Amino acid sequence: MDTNLTLEAFAGFFEEILGVPPFPWQERLMRQVANDRKWPSALSLPTGSGKTATMLIAVYHLALEAEVGERRTAAVRIVFAVDRRLVVDDAFSLARTLEEKLLQPPGPVTRQVAQRLESLSYNGRPLVARRLRGGVPREDDWARTPAQPTILCSTVDQVGSRLLFRGYGVSDRAKPIHAGLMGADCRILLDEAHLSEPFRQTLEWVNHYRSTQWVDRKETSGPWGVTILSATPGIDSPSPFTLTQEDYANPVLGARWRVNKPTRLIMADTPRGHERTADENRVSALVDEAVRGIADLRAHGIESPSVGVVVNRVARARAVFDRVRKQVGDDCEVILMVGPARPVDREQLTETLGKLHTARVAVQGQDRPRPIVVVATQCLEAGVDIDLDGMVSDAAPLDSLRQRFGRLNRSGRDIPSFGAIVATRDDVTQEAGDPVYGTSIAACWDYLSSLAEGSASPDMKPAVDFGLASFSARQAALPPTAEAFSPRRDAPVLLPSHLDLLVQTSPRPLPDPEIALYLHGPDRQPSSISVIWRRDLNSKMPGDRVRRLLSLVPPRAAEAVELPIWAVRRWLGRDTGSIEILADVAEVEPQDRPAIRVTNRRAFRWTGDDDGSRWVGPSELRPGDTIVVPATFGGVDEFGWNPASGEAATDVADIAAEPYAGKYFAVRVAPGLVPPATSQRLSEVLANTQNRGWRDVRDALLDLDLGDETRERLARLDMARRNNRVTIFYDLYETNQSSAGQPAGVALVAPFGVSNGDVSEDGPQPTTEDDASGSMQGVAVALERHGQDVADLARKFARAAGLPLSLIEDIAIAGYLHDVGKADPRFQALLAYGDPLGPDPDLVLAKSSMHNVHVSTQRVGLPRKWRHEALSVRLATLHASFQKATDAELVLWLIGSHHGWGRPFFPHTDPLDRESRTDLPPVLGQQIVLDPGPGPNSLDYLYAGTDWTGLYERLRNRYGIWGLARLEAVLRLADHRASEKERLLAKGDVLIDERNEFSTSS
């Protein structure tokens, strides 16, 4: 490894990544972090100053410290979180740029950084950048190793729920892994912290418990901390890191700071002779100002201006969007941005938004063929780096307005800009209040009016300059009251008793603390439910058939809309009126609270496994659910959530799955996905081809009118990997009763992907939480080999994570012994199920050569929901390797919890625990006779004078709740990667490098 990386080379690293030198504050912060070996608690930086570049500073700090092992203070996981639904797209764009540049370094400094980061990674990738959006089960490829340098861009809901052991969209058994990774060896950068006050307070409590209760074993949880970022003055920190005169003198930052942004205050009154509602007045005024802005900017020489219109409600944004399009016609390009939208649909806006990106506008100016109008909700306030020539806004709290006008002439160009704020009489009446912002809009309007006294625009409207320097000076001379800012609600105190409940994940306790309270405060509903639309789904399909269909064509985050749970409940219940108040902030549920109507509109809850995936009604929805609904329900269009729309939704599953095509590829041909006239003919064709090969089926289908996209996907099957392996599934869809039970649709699956596809992600794999499917992956692996593979990887992972030597060896011992319970003859019979010769008495297996056989464990004499980990705990204490453990209790805990069960209870009892077990084959080279006695699945179990739950309590006090979860994650991820490696090696689809690491040959 090149050890010559220095702090002084940071500027070169920055320029190699972004093509521009760092601002003075960025170099100053880098020096402070590196020299003090810690981050400031808060950064108070104005909008447009480049706060997202803190990710580069965090990555460079990690590279500087990559070699120091246990003394490392730089976290391997960098989380950039913001409380907006749109979310984090620009931050993620920077993260991906950083990932790509480190994978193919453009210069000598990035090459040195990449080499250092590779020493921590498992697969040789210097950095992984991922966007957590919508909790969709099985999409957790960021959580593959405990020490992989990673940048995660996400929302408060996704980050906070994982940190508190309740990860939205994460199965109960996987929740400890995510908590262990998010709550340990992690630096959280909370952007626009004023938007996330309750979560900020919760993070303070987390930090408090980490720093006071488990001081003696902090090394087990690694470096961890929170830095809040805000462009809004007055953040709660005694000495935030801020800009200095050196920054203001910088040509680029100085121009952004000094630019003027004159903004008119418009009161939307009802014209005489008209009877319009206040909201109709508002929409009309917003549209008029947008059109006026275009004309005004053109009159000042800007031929193709860009104007933003930002409003406080999703429904209002749609109304403004429709009116603007009608009024400007083809003269302007008009786009709509709302937070609750499918990422696949939002990607269609990328080209237009790219024309408005700050860096591009600063260089090329208004390089556009025609004007652009961007109509948006609060999603434009954070995470969107665009530079507009004009801004028209709803009246809003002062902090929101500062954010919105931060997008106006963001780069500080020498141009005239146009600004307007539109209010109605209802807005400025204190008594009325606002369902989202309370009375803060009225207080802000009063404050802006006082600033505008004696200042007017040419049309005699009062005006305020929202330029950073000008407004800051006026604000210092005449400070606003706290009431002019968005209401900041307090989170409930996170008590130790709450943590005691939250860390119980298997099973979850009753009562279970409501996570939303700690993320958004009381009376606020989080964006905690993900909705996906599928055209080949209908509510009459049996649940087992839907489970199989979704296992083969799994839901993806890119096709999901994140929504408040109350809005989805009301939509499914056909009550859309109160959804009109939906905003892009965590808002209060409407107080009318009508009873959910009896409705036949059900949704399918997808949990990624058979246990929790089922049809549910509106009242059964839970925070964090991922639900799949028939496209015929409507509710979404190309711009996002549209509950009033009854038009069938498009099915974007194929587009969302494209990043997985190189490793897994599926084609659906079924009613709803083909033209209606084709459905009957499709059934006849399938009936005639059931006994033919997949190419014959494919060719027969191509003779039908399927649509261009389906035909193109069928043609791609010719490039299926592994000797053109394709599997046909006829029984996924409802049989056509009118055609003598003929199949109504089909899915053709290339389980190893197609050669012209993306290989950036893994395809679906059997869940390892179930003993049968997790151990039946089509590859026979001996117990001895698997135990050694896991031990070796666990040792490597623990060393890279910077754990002490004693813990490294204890985790390796747990890895070696973790599966010894599979030696039970009943389980060996399960692994050989379907083999006429039965299990091989001379070969004890950890994995079966059978592939995902669906068989009840009771067929081989195992109790229902039997877990091998419980027997592994009993056998481990009798094995010679166990005697080498430094912390024997930790080793037993890691063995017992390595699939997420037993935290703190197991789901089964075993009558053989009461008998002497002389039937066991040799276990890892040692013959063991097991005396009668209870295992950890029994309340009677004792080890070293304590039962299993008492052992849990001891270890939590010893290592801390996040530290213990981190140690579990080290072992469990080693088990996952070892299983993956064994499967790929057996199939000849793996390359081994000089470090004995592997990657898929694709």
Side-chain angles (χ1 to χ4, degrees), residues 759-783:
V759 295
S760 62
E761 308 284 356
D762 284 329
Q765 298 293 342
T767 172
T768 59
E769 296 162 10
D770 174 71
D771 259 340
S773 64
S775 299
M776 292 184 170
Q777 299 184 18
V779 179
V781 180
L783 182 65

Side-chain angles (χ1 to χ4, degrees), residues 816-838:
Y816 186 60
L817 298 173
H818 76 290
D819 267 355
V820 292
K822 289 184 176 181
D824 188 301
R826 298 168 296 176
F827 192 78
Q828 290 297 302
L830 179 70
L831 296 183
Y833 195 86
D835 187 336
L837 299 179

Side-chain angles (χ1 to χ4, degrees), residues 113-179:
V113 171
Q115 290 173 351
R116 286 172 167 255
L117 297 182
E118 283 175 6
S119 68
L120 298 171
S121 73
Y122 163 59
N123 59 3
R125 293 188 71 89
L127 182 72
V128 167
R130 292 292 183 266
R131 176 169 41 192
L132 299 181
R133 51 187 185 186
V136 175
R138 298 190 186 180
E139 288 204 1
D140 58 355
D141 72 309
W142 68 272
R144 291 174 58 81
T145 74
Q148 169 67 57
T150 303
I151 295 178
L152 297 174
C153 298
S154 193
T155 61
V156 164
D157 289 293
Q158 294 299 324
V159 174
S161 64
R162 283 167 167 80
L163 177 65
L164 295 179
F165 290 82
R166 290 297 180 270
Y168 289 156
V170 179
S171 69
D172 286 346
R173 261 65 68 195
K175 284 179 170 64
I177 294 178
H178 288 244

Side-chain angles (χ1 to χ4, degrees), residues 212-226:
T212 57
Q213 292 191 355
W214 307 297
V215 176
D216 57 329
R217 300 307 296 266
K218 285 175 66 176
E219 70 273 14
T220 64
S221 58
W224 190 88
V226 178

Side-chain angles (χ1 to χ4, degrees), residues 639-893:
F639 299 107
W641 174 241
N642 188 4
S645 171
E647 185 176 345
T650 56
D651 184 319
V652 296
D654 292 341
I655 302 173
E658 190 58 32
Y660 305 79
K663 292 187 176 180
Y664 185 87
F665 187 78
V667 184
R668 298 166 295 154
V669 185
L673 296 169
V674 300
T678 304
S679 294
Q680 179 62 35
R681 178 65 181 139
L682 170 63
S683 182
E684 296 171 0
V685 167
L686 294 177
N688 293 329
T689 58
Q690 289 194 66
N691 296 320
R692 300 183 187 177
W694 72 263
R695 286 187 177 85
D696 291 337
V697 176
R698 188 269 318 274
D699 292 344
L701 292 173
L702 288 173
D703 287 336
L704 301 175
D705 178 16
L706 303 176
D708 292 342
E709 293 180 2
T710 302
R711 295 177 65 83
E712 186 272 336
R713 291 182 68 80
L714 284 169
R716 291 175 71 185
L717 289 172
D718 267 334
M719 287 173 277
R721 297 181 187 277
R722 304 274 175 77
N723 298 318
N724 292 107
R725 177 173 168 183
V726 175
T727 307
I728 309 172
F729 296 89
Y730 287 99
D731 59 341
L732 297 172
Y733 299 98
E734 286 285 321
T735 55
N736 191 332
Q737 298 298 331
S738 65
S739 302
Q742 294 174 355
V746 68
L748 293 89
V749 175
F752 305 106
V754 290
S755 59
N756 62 342
D758 198 327
V759 295
S760 62
E761 308 284 356
D762 284 329
Q765 298 293 342
T767 172
T768 59
E769 296 162 10
D770 174 71
D771 259 340
S773 64
S775 299
M776 292 184 170
Q777 299 184 18
V779 179
V781 180
L783 182 65
E784 170 75 33
R785 174 184 166 184
H786 180 64
Q788 192 60 59
D789 284 346
V790 174
D792 292 344
L793 274 179
R795 185 178 288 110
K796 177 175 181 177
F797 285 1
R799 187 179 297 115
L803 293 175
L805 181 60
S806 60
L807 283 178
I808 292 174
E809 291 309 309
D810 280 350
I811 294 172
I813 292 170
Y816 186 60
L817 298 173
H818 76 290
D819 267 355
V820 292
K822 289 184 176 181
D824 188 301
R826 298 168 296 176
F827 192 78
Q828 290 297 302
L830 179 70
L831 296 183
Y833 195 86
D835 187 336
L837 299 179
D840 184 346
D842 297 323
L843 180 62
V844 181
L845 294 177
K847 307 288 183 181
S848 171
S849 60
M850 313 304 291
H851 183 72
N852 204 17
V853 177
H854 292 280
V855 57
S856 169
T857 56
Q858 294 164 287
R859 297 281 295 273
V860 294
L862 286 170
R864 185 172 178 270
K865 295 189 176 181
W866 184 85
R867 297 302 312 174
H868 69 274
E869 306 95 290
L871 181 57
S872 293
V873 169
R874 294 183 65 199
L875 293 174
T877 60
L878 303 176
H879 198 277
S881 299
F882 183 75
Q883 311 311 316
K884 303 174 184 178
T886 301
D887 187 340
E889 293 178 337
L890 174 64
V891 172
L892 287 184
W893 176 258

